[in-house]
Amino acid sequence: MVKEVLLYYFGVAKKFKRYTLPPVFLAPVASISIDYISPLIVAEIINRVSSDSRPSLSSLVPLILASFLVPIIGMTLWRIMYWFINHGDGMGMNQVAEDTFKDLMGRSHDFHISNFAGSLVAKTNRFISAYEPLYDTFVIEVMGNIISLIFATVVLIKISFPVGVVFLALFFAYIFIIFKLTRKRFKLNSRRAEQESLQTGQLADSLTNAI
């Protein structure tokens, strides 16, 4: 069931790739620029200034300019990325809502009799609203943070191989733990959503019958 839902969301995102694809590439570039390249530039400036051979001001000017421009470029890319995300989320959720409505309208009379109307509404709202956090998490957490960590690992390995290997081992351990916890949380959230949908449906139907 989970695989089918993820594949469906992926298909929806592909329909609006003009808006959903750019953030996939902008997120890691922006994250690397702000979190890694900018500190590396500042560290290089400090190393040159604190070295025995005093560098000339002309040799530091490009680095100083880069230390200001790189974060600005990174933040600009974040803003552009969120513009695409906001538009893509809206279009994607609208498409999910249309598809869900068509599916419900195509169901048999027995299906609607056997299911609480309020429960169907609650489940539908959850299904529609789940698209946004799922896509945003993929772009920001997976593409942004994980690729940034891979970049940091490569830099560390070039600077100090043992430190880079240790960092790489911690990175894989982090991914493994997050994967396990996410699966458990997903199961708990699924059970919770099912109970909340049932409760909401019963309450809505009870109020409707009372009126």
Side-chain angles (χ1 to χ4, degrees):
M1 182 63 180
V2 176
K3 183 179 179 180
E4 287 79 359
V5 171
L6 292 178
L7 288 175
Y8 168 73
Y9 284 152
F10 177 73
V12 171
K14 283 182 64 177
K15 290 183 178 180
F16 307 102
K17 58 184 177 181
R18 178 182 176 184
Y19 295 96
T20 58
L21 192 58
V24 174
F25 299 100
L26 289 172
V29 175
S31 181
I32 291 172
S33 300
I34 297 171
D35 298 332
Y36 296 99
I37 295 180
S38 182
L40 286 173
I41 294 173
V42 174
E44 179 62 22
I45 295 174
I46 295 174
N47 288 334
R48 292 192 182 186
V49 172
S50 60
S51 63
D52 295 332
S53 57
R54 296 291 180 179
S56 62
L57 181 61
S58 59
S59 65
L60 292 177
V61 168
L63 289 174
I64 294 173
L65 290 176
S67 67
F68 282 98
L69 291 176
V70 170
I72 293 174
I73 293 173
M75 292 302 298
T76 303
L77 292 177
W78 272 116
R79 296 294 181 270
I80 296 173
M81 180 197 72
Y82 275 110
W83 183 88
F84 279 107
I85 286 178
N86 290 335
H87 283 72
D89 285 346
M91 294 179 179
M93 292 174 67
N94 184 62
Q95 183 64 49
V96 174
E98 291 181 0
D99 292 344
T100 305
F101 180 77
K102 289 179 181 178
D103 180 75
L104 289 175
M105 292 298 98
R107 297 282 181 169
S108 65
H109 181 67
D110 292 338
F111 171 82
H112 290 282
I113 291 178
S114 303
N115 291 272
F116 289 114
S119 179
L120 287 176
V121 171
K123 290 179 180 179
T124 299
N125 288 335
R126 287 183 179 277
F127 184 66
I128 296 170
S129 60
Y131 173 84
E132 180 180 8
L134 186 64
Y135 172 76
D136 293 358
T137 299
F138 171 76
V139 170
I140 298 172
E141 299 297 333
V142 177
M143 298 304 297
N145 293 340
I146 292 182
I147 292 181
S148 297
L149 288 173
I150 293 174
F151 174 82
T153 303
V154 173
V155 172
L156 283 174
I157 289 176
K158 288 185 176 181
I159 296 174
S160 175
F161 184 78
V163 175
V165 171
V166 172
F167 186 84
L168 185 63
L170 293 174
F171 170 72
F172 280 113
Y174 167 78
I175 296 298
F176 177 77
I177 292 172
I178 292 299
F179 176 75
K180 290 293 185 180
L181 292 177
T182 301
R183 289 189 63 183
K184 290 183 178 179
R185 183 179 178 183
F186 183 82
K187 291 180 180 179
L188 291 174
N189 287 344
S190 297
R191 289 197 294 267
R192 177 182 176 183
E194 185 68 26
Q195 293 299 321
E196 289 182 353
S197 297
L198 181 61
Q199 182 182 21
T200 302
Q202 290 176 339
L203 178 61
D205 288 340
S206 297
L207 291 174
T208 302
N209 293 333
I211 294 174

